[in-house]
Amino acid sequence: GGGSGEGGGSGEGGGSGEGQGDDGEEEIIREEAARSAFAAVEAAILRQGWHDGSCATVALVDRPRRRLQLLQLGDCNAMLHSPRGCASSPPELLCPIHRPTEPTEAARLAKAGAEVSSTGRCGGLAVSRAFGDAELKARLPAGSLLAEPELRCVELPAGGGEAGGGEAGGG
């Protein structure tokens, strides 16, 4: 899934970790920095004793190079659309939803020893990545319910006036 022109890597080490995207250009944020930031958010949530979980999408814009880098986990998404609402450029969802039934996530969960139910849930959740949910993470095999982001880079479309192209919005 995702938009055309995407690069970057997944939370499974698809990025180089050296600050380079798949196209050889420097990433806006390095994969290890993104993972560290999300780990800090996870730790803060767990320290505060949240019983529920949450998902996130963070968008970082590199206007000079017309690139958008997305850090995403769970079922939050981002949408890219033309500022003028051009019919030839309908809105485009940019992130895959981290569902236990999505092939990459299903393989990761199977490797961790987690079971996915016939209803597509892992431990009762419809997502395979989330912040919090400490009690569930304690019951599931290690590495099942992750708070690690998936990173992807998207080229912003040309045009769009002073804003420098498309706009990103959360979803």
Side-chain angles (χ1 to χ4, degrees), residues 66-162:
R66 310 190 63 77
R67 292 166 42 114
L68 178 69
Q69 186 174 9
L70 299 159
L71 292 70
Q72 185 255 353
L73 82 145
D75 58 3
C76 290
N77 214 319
M79 181 180 287
L80 187 65
H81 64 90
S82 166
R84 295 188 178 92
C86 180
S88 65
S89 300
E92 178 181 5
L93 292 176
L94 300 177
C95 299
I97 301 297
H98 291 128
R99 299 203 187 286
T101 54
E102 189 275 321
T104 303
E105 292 296 288
R108 183 184 62 73
L109 290 167
K111 185 176 178 182
E115 292 185 28
V116 177
S117 73
S118 61
T119 60
R121 295 179 178 267
C122 179
L125 288 181
V127 295
S128 53
R129 296 183 189 221
F131 291 121
D133 284 313
E135 293 172 10
L136 181 57
K137 286 177 179 171
R139 289 195 322 261
L140 289 171
S144 299
L145 181 58
L146 298 179
E148 293 180 7
E150 182 168 345
L151 280 68
R152 58 182 57 239
C153 291
V154 177
E155 290 185 32
L156 295 172
E162 303 82 28

Side-chain angles (χ1 to χ4, degrees), residues 13-103:
S16 66
E18 296 299 323
Q20 300 290 313
D22 288 343
D23 58 4
E25 291 192 40
E26 187 174 330
E27 296 170 328
I28 299 168
I29 186 172
R30 292 176 181 236
E31 186 171 357
E32 65 267 14
R35 285 180 180 223
S36 177
F38 273 55
V41 171
E42 168 81 342
I45 287 171
L46 295 176
R47 270 194 312 273
Q48 294 193 18
W50 285 17
H51 295 286
D52 295 328
S54 185
C55 298
T57 297
V58 176
L60 304 167
V61 179
D62 181 349
R63 288 183 190 261
R65 291 189 293 178
R66 310 190 63 77
R67 292 166 42 114
L68 178 69
Q69 186 174 9
L70 299 159
L71 292 70
Q72 185 255 353
L73 82 145
D75 58 3
C76 290
N77 214 319
M79 181 180 287
L80 187 65
H81 64 90
S82 166
R84 295 188 178 92
C86 180
S88 65
S89 300
E92 178 181 5
L93 292 176
L94 300 177
C95 299
I97 301 297
H98 291 128
R99 299 203 187 286
T101 54
E102 189 275 321

